[in-house]
Amino acid sequence: MFRTRFTRRLPAAVAAAGLALAVAACGGGSTDSAETTAQAAQLDPNADLTKQQLTVTVWDGYTPQELQDMVKNELKISDINVTLHDTNEVAMSKLTASGDHGIDVAFVSGQYAQALNEQGLLEPIHAELIPNLANLYPEATQLSYDKGNKFSVPYTWGTTGICYRSDLVKQEPTSWMDILKPPSWAEKKVTMMTTERWLALPAIKALGYSVNTDKDDEIAKVKELLLEAKQHLLAYDDLTFGDRLIKGEAVMVEAWDGWCPTTDEKQNIKFAVPKEGSDLWVDTMVIMKSSKNKEAAHAFINYILSPDVHRWAAENINYKVPNKAAMDKVKIVPGSLLGIKPAELLNGESIIDIGQASTKYTRMASEVKAE
């Protein structure tokens, strides 16, 4: 069973949606190249890892169940504790709480890594301690929120598009307008996402705006288009759109590529990135500046980037990994992993932390769904 994305992407509550953004607004210094160089000299590449231990926080089902034993056996660290979080917001609550939270490595989405870094909470990535960074696609070093992987290391990545039943559509979708203003044969057989930034995505791209726009006039036009689209929808759905497609209840849905059930045995479910473009989402690994086990933390990330370890994510949770050496070894190739190359992924626009302007999206989404 593939890992479901909703426990990672959906806010724990509306009030929690701006947590990462509020963190970024609180102040604090981000890492820079000078700081990275200065701190690199303080880490020992020959440190005795048997005297270090690790605490890692990650989404449930996002790494192998036997990860603790694998890491202990491979790295010979004294102990590793894996704690779970359901959403980015829960992770942020852990990582920004006052006092020593004891977490060394955290898995969070890109814009949340950005917010943590802007607050000065992240250790710079010391590339000399992670030789397996060489396994990454060149495109994985050009992510807009962290070019050069200065404070984060990508774990999975993907995009958003239209997932559809090729046997039930009279014409295959090519535009976000096929979702926003569906043809008569798709009336009330279309779903869109409910999470605020992804709810806005189809209208934003259809109107030619940036996914990170904070302009009031553009957001107003996005809202207007979303309200018009609402009358044609079957539902707002981040959880069961794949099931709706399989059952034939829906014929087209807005979907993350990794959760479009293209592995359906009937082979009639396909995924398309609309011609207006889409986003690039990335989930990352970061090291907390408060960590007392920084050498072990870097060794952990280096181990995850090993081809035989990292390919697990592609084979088991149906998400692409930005690791060429790992993807070359993938034995089980779900349909959604096919057809989109790294360079094409990079054409997607990363959803980044936009600070207090995020409340504009929260308000807009609430108003669209309420009206």
Side-chain angles (χ1 to χ4, degrees), residues 21 25 112 212 255 300 317:
L21 312 172
Y112 292 81
N212 301 303
F300 171 84
I317 56 176

Side-chain angles (χ1 to χ4, degrees), residues 171-191:
Q171 183 175 349
E172 297 193 344
T174 59
S175 167
W176 284 118
M177 294 305 296
D178 293 323
I179 287 281
L180 295 164
K181 294 184 179 181
S184 58
W185 49 263
E187 184 76 15
K188 298 295 184 179
K189 294 182 179 180
V190 173
T191 70

